[in-house]
Amino acid sequence: MKDHFTMDSPQPRLLDETKQGVIGTPMDRPDGPRKVSGTADYTADHAPDGMAHGVLVRATIARGRITGMDRDTVLGIDGVIDVITDPRMIRNPAQGMAGSAPVQTGDEVHYHGQPIALVVAETFEAARDAAQRLTVHYHAEAAAVSPETTPDTETDDPVTAGDFDSSWSAAEVQIDRAYTTPSQAAAAMEPHAAIADWQGDHVTLRSALQMVRFNKAELADTLGIDPSKVRILAPFVGGGFGSKLGLGPEAAAAAIAAQKLGRPVRVVMTRQTVFDTVLRRSETAQRVRLGATKDGRITAISHDDRVSNIDGEGFAEPVSQASQFLYGADGLSFTQTVARIAATPAGSVRAPGEAVGMLAFEAAIDELADALGMDPLELRLKNLPEKHPIDGRPYSARRLADCLTEGAARFGWADRWQAGTRREGDWLIGIGMASAARSNMLVKSSARVRLTGDQAIVETDMTDIGTGTYAILAQITAEMLGLPAANVTVRLGDSDLPGASGSGGSFGANSAGSAVFLAARKLRAEIAERLGCDAEGLTLQNGQARGDNREAALTELVSEEILAEATIQKGKTAKSHFSSGFGAHFAEVAVNEWTGEIRVRRMLGVMSMGRILNEKTARSQALGGMIWGIGAALTEEMQSDPRDGHIVTRDLANYHVPAHADVPGDMQVVFLEERDDWANPIQTKGIGELGISGAGAAVINAISHATSKRAYDYPVLPDRMVALLEG
Amino acid sequence: MRPFDYHRAETFDDVTSGQIIAGGTNLLDLMKIQVMTPEALVDITRLEGLSAIVPEGDGLRIGALVTNSALAYDPLVRAGWPLLSRAILAGASAQIRNKATTGGNLLQRTRCPYFYDTSQPCNKRTPGAGCAAIGGGGRMLALFGTSDHCLAAHPSDMAVALTALGAEVEIHGANGTRRVPLQDLYVPPADRPDRETILETGDLITAVILPAPKSGSRQGYRKVRDRASYAFALVSVAGAVTMEGGTITDVSLAFGSVAPKPWTIPEVEQMLLGQPASDDLFRRAADLLAPDPAPHPETEYKRALLRRTFVATMRQLTGLADTTGTDIARAEA
Ligand SMILES: Cc1cc2nc3c(=O)[nH]c(=O)nc-3n(C[C@H](O)[C@H](O)[C@H](O)COP(=O)(O)OP(=O)(O)OC[C@H]3O[C@@H](n4cnc5c(N)ncnc54)[C@H](O)[C@@H]3O)c2cc1C
Ligand code: SF4
């Protein structure tokens, strides 16, 4: 049985009708015990017989050509097998959903830190020693490493609606502010790793990757072989946050080396290499202009930005993404400039665009409210547009106003005091809020569901990067087939299984979940037929099928395996409606008036993000997102050297993600009930990234409320806060 | 990592050559990235008599192998020298403190990121190679005591508290055992920033000696960093203050992450001594704290931050500011 489904119209809300009662419940992740007991097999846990160890060698100039390598000196080190260079090696990881090889540079160097060779040895230690000691000779060239000064920039045509210039000049109140955010690292716990093993002309690659279907095509293209000769395995991935969307240099190098040496090769990046070469989030320079009437109607919105990337990468941090549809105005304008620099390439990192764009945009909205003498909550509520301000599409489901008012009520927003007037000892106390928005996507996905009696198996190459995919796919299947979730086995992360969206852009649960749903829907039709009732009249619960006054156990009806495969792709609803998750973030902070330290004391996120498939994993996603929001506002900053662009903060002791002590004990997440009928057949929306989008801005706005000072350069580290307090 | 010989020391005199390894929490990290490439390691963790905290006179003798956790939670230390306990707990993480030792903590290397990156010239790694931090990024570098050859700061929290408390270090060497004030353990970077202490090959730190507690003093360790925990200090202030009436009768201070060693500025203490505590006094004293200009443009901020952190700490130590919810404690014993 096969179902090819295109999302052209809303589908019945079947998951509200089914009776098993597992959908939405806060079920524990079935893979949890394996993860906490160390028995989940992550890539680098594998060591096939005869395996050799590879360590990547990095370039130590910003731009130029390699003229030679003193191989002989390191080949003499005990245990060193080979120093491999190959024109098929890749400069950097593929961008998300590329499906083709990243830039292959041969002997050219495009940035400091670029992988240029692989040293292979019998032990990891010998390989690392040799990689460290290998002398490389270069012909160095001048390189622009600073986005501020590089002569090489590209500016896109502005995205506009109405006439911004005239709305702006006519505005009674104007806010015109410049903001900066630094580069950020995805900072996944598991370093990037790959093991390649060839059988004849077939290669099997185990690797920490988020998008197996695309990665398979990327590896085939990189090696110049047919995709049918590539198998990728990624059953467990230790966090991705965008950094494992695309095939990485370690995977390409492992495959090339394993082929050359005729034995399996494992390449695990050191933490430093992860920082050097894995795609960073671009730093941004932003300018937000807001115009309004005196009574608080926003008339003009502009959000321009400059981001950076290396030559040859099409990705540009979509900074103003949410600014384009959150509020309405008579004139809107958004212009992006990309600065080309010779530095670690940039790509998708957790909530590309919103994570940094909303920091600035929602801070500017707050400043506008100040200028108007208006409650920032009220200003937001007053300016929610009817339709998408740029393209006029209706919103598919948008409870933003409810999130704002519900959040305000729960947080105690009405008790807000005058800015800069509350203190506890040396600490100044303030509260802030911001809207949350993150556009929602549906990506082509396939899945197969097999049912034998009351036992089901789900198969898809979808990944679980710690988010709970194993749990939710089991829940969808169990709910649809009327089984306890424990009766469903979920197999993921194998490119031999039906190809899914992969985990990225918060679209995995919607896309892969919909494919599983559709396959299970097919099975329901088959079961109904066997029982002799209409599919609509079928009730499946605890292994029993009922309908039309008939009843039978699945073990009788399905004594031999039946299976169904389904593929979903986006269709007319994506054009007719605009789908996005929405929410509201609230934060209370304390700012030390002497040292400029900032502590978040409580946080609340109220979100409407479609149907919740698992209350626990959804909450964890939202909480994790909010914590990244704290990171963006307060702690996370990648620094690079002004001379050669190399990353200076190359480990997790120098790149500061929020520690436990940065996260308040009082962190609350509230989901408002919602079904997004236009999004997909299970009425869900993306979750994780919505948690970030706007969360940092609530913290930033709380800082202004506490201190009456506005920060425009993020994160607000103690030195930046002290400079404001001194001023 | 380079292959190395491993030797387990059985007696103090066994430690004649090779790099000493104690908890290994700093040394092993540096060996993995080949910033340090010792040919031989001498493991001192089985040496007897180095793991105890015992009273010595009115003071305390802390064996060099006492872990940071054991020291921080020791009841005698918490009562008599609460500053030390506070400083240790402000550093690293619980896991690292369980492994890290007293001797190793004093001798941990700088966190200058260029020191950690072997693609960059660094005089501390290779004397004469140059200093990549000059002209590069330098938020973590020092304000005081730097040289033209090295701007790096010492990152220890514990050593700052020990300095403020007037601790001494006991060293066992070829010529027997000697004691030096902790302050004198460290040598200025000059043109050999690779030489950080007076220790010679074969020298073993055996103990740290604390003098009698400053009974009745208020003590505190104020560490300002880029996140709420698990980060090295941008600046820190360790202080112990005794007051009679409103007057400061005893004060000792040390400043962390602002110099190649825990920094002291005796003029500050002199200005405070015998004076009634006041905001004005602290502001004037704070002016002695900041060299103008900072040796690196990116550490310019540390001048204001150190001044402000000092004033805030003094206000708490002298009762001008409320201390509920802070780490300020009174030394008993
Ligand atoms: C992620 C991270 C975060 C950290 N954060 C902080 C922080 O916030 N604040 C802070 O203060 N510290 C911090 N540290 C550093 C930590 O405190 C030190 O690594 C630790 O104290 C070193 O002790 P050890 O016993 O492990 O030393 P080792 O690594 O074993 O040795 C360090 C050095 O001391 C020498 N040595 C050791 N013992 C002796 C002895 N008895 N006699 C002579 N020489 C000796 C060794 O030869 C070596 O050169 C952090 C460390 C890490 C890894
Ligand atoms: S400041 Fe010192 S440690 Fe840092 S690079 Fe310069 S010489 Fe090396």
Side-chain angles (χ1 to χ4, degrees):
Chain A
M1 281 182 277
K2 286 216 167 180
D3 186 7
H4 275 278
F5 179 87
T6 305
M7 188 63 197
D8 286 332
S9 58
Q11 296 297 298
R13 295 176 178 177
L14 196 50
L15 289 174
D16 288 323
E17 309 297 324
T18 47
K19 293 277 182 285
Q20 188 62 28
V22 292
I23 204 70
T25 60
M27 188 180 97
D28 286 343
R29 292 182 293 167
D31 45 316
R34 289 183 67 189
K35 286 181 171 166
V36 295
S37 61
T39 54
D41 52 334
Y42 291 87
T43 297
D45 294 330
H46 287 262
D49 285 346
M51 183 184 83
H53 302 259
V55 169
L56 293 164
V57 179
R58 65 171 163 154
T60 56
I61 58 165
R63 183 147 297 210
R65 206 161 39 75
I66 299 161
T67 55
M69 289 185 188
D70 296 346
R71 286 164 206 263
D72 292 346
T73 48
V74 300
L75 287 172
I77 297 173
D78 211 19
V80 174
I81 301 166
D82 204 350
V83 177
I84 298 176
T85 52
D86 191 294
R88 294 171 295 170
M89 285 191 181
I90 57 180
R91 179 184 73 178
N92 50 260
Q95 297 290 345
M97 305 168 89
S100 57
V103 175
Q104 294 163 306
T105 56
D107 59 3
E108 284 175 30
V109 173
H110 292 182
Y111 65 95
H112 191 297
Q114 178 185 325
I116 50 173
L118 186 79
V119 177
V120 188
E122 297 295 345
T123 64
F124 170 72
E125 288 73 16
R128 184 156 65 173
D129 182 22
Q132 182 77 30
R133 285 207 248 175
L134 181 68
T135 306
V136 180
H137 303 282
Y138 303 96
H139 172 78
E141 291 161 23
V145 297
S146 158
E148 275 103 50
T149 55
T150 177
D152 188 3
T153 62
E154 301 149 19
T155 300
D156 292 345
D157 289 340
V159 173
T160 59
D163 179 351
F164 170 76
D165 287 338
S166 57
S167 309
W168 168 249
S169 46
E172 290 170 344
V173 180
Q174 294 181 331
I175 292 292
D176 181 356
R177 292 294 181 209
Y179 302 83
T180 63
T181 65
S183 290
Q184 293 177 347
M189 183 91 91
E190 175 200 30
H192 297 59
I195 305 176
D197 195 357
W198 290 78
Q199 301 87 26
D201 60 355
H202 282 65
V203 63
T204 301
L205 181 84
R206 261 182 197 283
S207 189
L209 290 166
Q210 294 177 231
M211 300 191 143
V212 168
R213 169 161 70 95
F214 299 95
N215 306 137
K216 173 176 165 164
E218 286 150 7
L219 183 60
D221 191 32
T222 297
L223 299 174
I225 63 175
D226 193 85
S228 64
K229 302 206 157 84
V230 173
R231 183 177 183 197
I232 294 198
L233 297 172
F236 290 105
V237 180
F241 310 108
S243 75
K244 295 167 183 165
L245 295 176
L247 185 88
E250 80 291 1
I256 290 163
Q259 187 178 36
K260 180 170 183 209
L261 301 175
R263 58 192 280 195
V265 173
R266 178 168 81 194
V267 183
V268 182
M269 283 194 190
T270 62
R271 185 62 69 186
Q272 289 79 12
T273 306
V274 173
F275 276 94
D276 288 343
T277 191
V278 166
L279 306 178
R280 67 190 163 97
R281 185 202 302 282
S282 172
E283 76 296 319
T284 71
Q286 308 181 41
R287 181 185 183 195
V288 181
R289 282 173 292 167
L290 299 172
T293 59
K294 278 193 188 126
D295 63 351
R297 193 178 71 80
I298 299 178
T299 52
I301 294 178
S302 166
H303 188 177
D304 300 334
D305 67 87
R306 190 212 60 225
V307 299
S308 70
N309 212 337
I310 198 168
D311 270 335
E313 296 300 318
F315 179 87
E317 181 81 15
V319 174
S320 65
Q321 199 158 253
S323 318
Q324 299 184 16
F325 65 81
L326 258 177
Y327 309 111
D330 303 334
L332 301 94
S333 174
F334 306 90
T335 306
Q336 178 165 62
T337 298
V338 181
R340 295 289 167 193
I341 55 172
T344 299
S348 295
V349 173
R350 29 186 157 97
E354 284 88 344
V356 285
M358 290 189 77
L359 278 185
F361 187 69
E362 284 290 297
I365 293 284
D366 230 58
E367 201 167 346
L368 177 64
D370 269 5
L372 290 162
M374 219 172 141
D375 182 335
L377 176 79
E378 226 179 281
L379 175 66
R380 287 173 171 91
L381 283 169
K382 191 177 166 119
N383 285 284
L384 302 183
E386 294 271 293
K387 308 169 296 183
H388 191 296
I390 307 285
D391 62 31
R393 277 179 292 172
Y395 295 98
S396 59
R398 180 185 54 156
R399 297 193 63 189
L400 175 52
D402 296 339
C403 292
L404 289 164
T405 46
E406 174 77 20
R410 287 176 181 259
F411 194 75
W413 186 254
D415 304 334
R416 188 164 178 262
W417 52 96
Q418 202 194 327
T421 61
R422 183 167 294 184
R423 65 160 63 234
E424 290 176 18
D426 290 348
W427 297 87
L428 309 172
I429 315 298
I431 58 176
M433 52 88 48
S435 297
R438 170 74 186 166
S439 47
N440 180 54
M441 285 169 274
L442 177 64
V443 173
K444 189 174 176 191
S445 249
S446 302
R448 184 160 56 221
V449 179
R450 305 167 178 273
L451 179 69
T452 312
D454 60 358
Q455 300 291 323
I457 298 172
V458 177
E459 295 176 327
T460 156
D461 80 354
M462 179 62 191
T463 49
D464 186 325
I465 59 173
T467 45
T469 313
Y470 282 106
I472 59 146
L473 296 188
Q475 281 171 287
I476 292 170
T477 309
E479 187 63 47
M480 288 292 286
L481 299 179
L483 303 172
N487 291 20
V488 183
T489 304
V490 179
R491 292 190 186 139
L492 301 179
D494 179 346
S495 64
D496 282 357
L497 302 176
S501 59
S503 303
S506 299
F507 51 61
N510 310 331
S511 308
S514 291
V516 169
F517 168 86
L518 292 169
R521 196 164 74 171
K522 274 263 170 249
L523 291 180
R524 286 176 63 93
E526 170 71 19
I527 294 166
E529 199 175 310
R530 291 186 180 191
L531 186 66
C533 74
D534 280 355
E536 291 78 57
L538 177 72
T539 302
L540 292 173
Q541 196 177 10
N542 293 326
Q544 288 292 116
R546 282 196 309 274
D548 240 1
N549 288 326
R550 292 162 214 258
E551 176 157 5
L554 284 179
T555 46
E556 291 163 32
L557 282 177
V558 191
S559 54
E560 278 174 27
E561 180 182 276
I562 55 173
L563 67 88
E565 194 169 323
T567 299
I568 183 163
Q569 62 188 29
K570 69 177 178 190
K572 290 182 188 145
T573 60
K575 295 206 174 67
S576 66
H577 285 73
F578 176 71
S579 176
S580 172
F582 288 98
H585 289 290
F586 293 80
E588 177 177 311
V589 304
V591 180
N592 189 288
E593 66 170 329
W594 294 98
T595 61
E597 296 158 289
I598 300 164
R599 301 286 180 258
V600 181
R601 308 216 300 183
R602 62 190 176 109
M603 243 178 147
L604 165 70
V606 179
M607 301 172 211
S608 66
M609 30 174 59
R611 180 194 303 280
I612 300 300
L613 295 169
N614 177 322
E615 218 268 333
K616 182 180 267 181
T617 57
R619 177 175 305 278
S620 297
Q621 286 290 294
L623 284 173
M626 287 159 69
I627 293 168
W628 288 127
I630 296 176
L634 299 183
T635 65
E636 284 184 68
E637 173 157 6
M638 230 165 141
Q639 289 151 10
S640 58
D641 186 275
R643 297 158 299 190
D644 61 12
H646 83 265
I647 306 293
V648 173
T649 44
R650 298 170 75 225
D651 57 40
L652 293 172
N654 285 295
Y655 183 80
H656 294 136
V657 300
H660 282 90
D662 293 292
V663 180
D666 185 357
M667 282 282 273
Q668 299 200 23
V669 175
V670 174
F671 298 125
L672 298 190
E673 184 96 351
E674 186 181 78
R675 303 284 180 264
D676 191 333
D677 292 317
W678 302 92
N680 54 53
I682 53 176
Q683 297 90 27
T684 58
K685 290 199 278 216
I687 291 189
E689 293 170 318
L690 183 64
I692 312 177
S693 308
V699 173
I700 297 290
N701 291 336
I703 296 169
S704 312
H705 185 237
T707 62
S708 298
K709 311 262 185 195
R710 288 207 174 261
Y712 300 102
D713 300 303
Y714 309 132
V716 192
L717 292 166
D719 48 344
R720 299 205 170 103
M721 193 65 232
V722 158
L724 290 174
L725 292 168
E726 291 259 297
Chain B
M1 191 186 278
R2 300 265 178 99
F4 53 86
D5 288 331
Y6 171 87
H7 172 70
R8 182 181 292 163
E10 308 288 346
T11 68
F12 290 2
D13 293 321
D14 259 358
V15 187
T16 49
S17 65
Q19 184 82 35
I20 290 171
I21 180 163
T25 59
N26 189 220
L27 180 61
L28 288 177
D29 276 0
L30 291 167
M31 285 172 67
K32 288 183 204 164
I33 55 173
Q34 296 186 196
V35 166
M36 291 178 79
T37 51
E39 279 173 14
L41 290 187
V42 194
D43 180 353
I44 61 167
T45 54
R46 309 290 172 98
L47 286 178
E48 277 175 33
L50 298 186
S51 302
I53 303 172
V54 288
E56 183 175 295
D58 291 335
L60 212 56
R61 178 188 176 82
I62 303 159
L65 289 177
V66 170
T67 65
N68 289 179
S69 298
L71 185 55
Y73 293 120
D74 183 82
L76 292 176
V77 171
R78 290 173 70 159
W81 301 266
L83 169 55
L84 178 57
S85 178
R86 300 297 196 274
I88 293 170
L89 294 178
S93 67
Q95 294 90 332
I96 293 170
R97 294 192 298 263
N98 285 340
K99 198 80 189 126
T101 64
T102 304
N105 191 312
L106 297 178
L107 298 179
Q108 62 175 295
R109 312 290 307 270
T110 184
R111 292 281 160 171
C112 168
Y114 294 93
F115 173 69
Y116 272 75
D117 186 341
T118 50
S119 79
Q120 302 295 313
C122 168
N123 288 324
K124 196 183 264 305
R125 250 189 289 113
T126 317
C131 167
I134 298 172
R139 280 183 84 239
M140 301 305 286
L141 298 174
L143 280 181
F144 306 101
T146 60
S147 77
D148 292 345
H149 302 266
C150 182
L151 311 179
H154 196 274
S156 170
D157 294 302
M158 184 187 90
V160 183
L162 288 174
T163 300
L165 293 169
E168 289 186 329
V169 179
E170 184 185 87
I171 301 162
H172 178 88
N175 303 321
T177 298
R178 60 196 196 277
R179 272 190 190 189
V180 297
L182 175 56
Q183 285 258 44
D184 299 342
L185 175 68
Y186 303 101
V187 297
D191 61 350
R192 286 299 302 273
D194 57 318
R195 288 196 196 130
E196 293 169 352
T197 67
I198 58 168
L199 298 181
E200 306 282 342
T201 309
D203 276 353
L204 170 74
I205 294 182
T206 46
V208 169
I209 317 296
L210 282 174
K214 295 170 180 291
S215 286
S217 65
R218 289 235 250 179
Q219 305 193 352
Y221 184 73
R222 192 76 170 87
K223 175 177 179 179
V224 182
R225 46 191 148 171
D226 281 339
R227 61 181 167 191
S229 84
Y230 203 23
F232 290 93
L234 299 172
V235 306
S236 71
V237 177
V241 175
T242 310
M243 307 269 293
E244 268 167 40
T247 301
I248 298 169
T249 57
D250 185 50
V251 53
S252 44
L253 295 163
F255 306 95
S257 283
V258 292
K261 64 173 184 174
W263 201 245
T264 53
I265 306 177
E267 296 86 331
V268 174
E269 289 161 7
Q270 280 152 24
M271 184 187 270
L272 298 171
L273 207 58
Q275 301 295 316
S278 74
D279 284 341
D280 177 59
L281 174 69
F282 300 150
R283 291 224 170 80
R284 279 186 289 122
D287 287 337
L288 298 173
L289 285 176
D292 190 11
H296 190 288
E298 287 195 15
T299 48
E300 199 52 40
Y301 78 93
K302 285 196 178 186
R303 300 172 54 225
L305 187 57
L306 183 63
R307 264 192 277 113
R308 298 174 73 100
T309 307
F310 163 75
V311 173
T313 310
M314 287 308 298
R315 286 169 51 83
Q316 292 181 336
L317 291 175
T318 55
L320 291 192
D322 182 20
T323 54
T324 37
T326 69
D327 247 0
I328 304 294
R330 185 177 290 274
E332 281 142 20

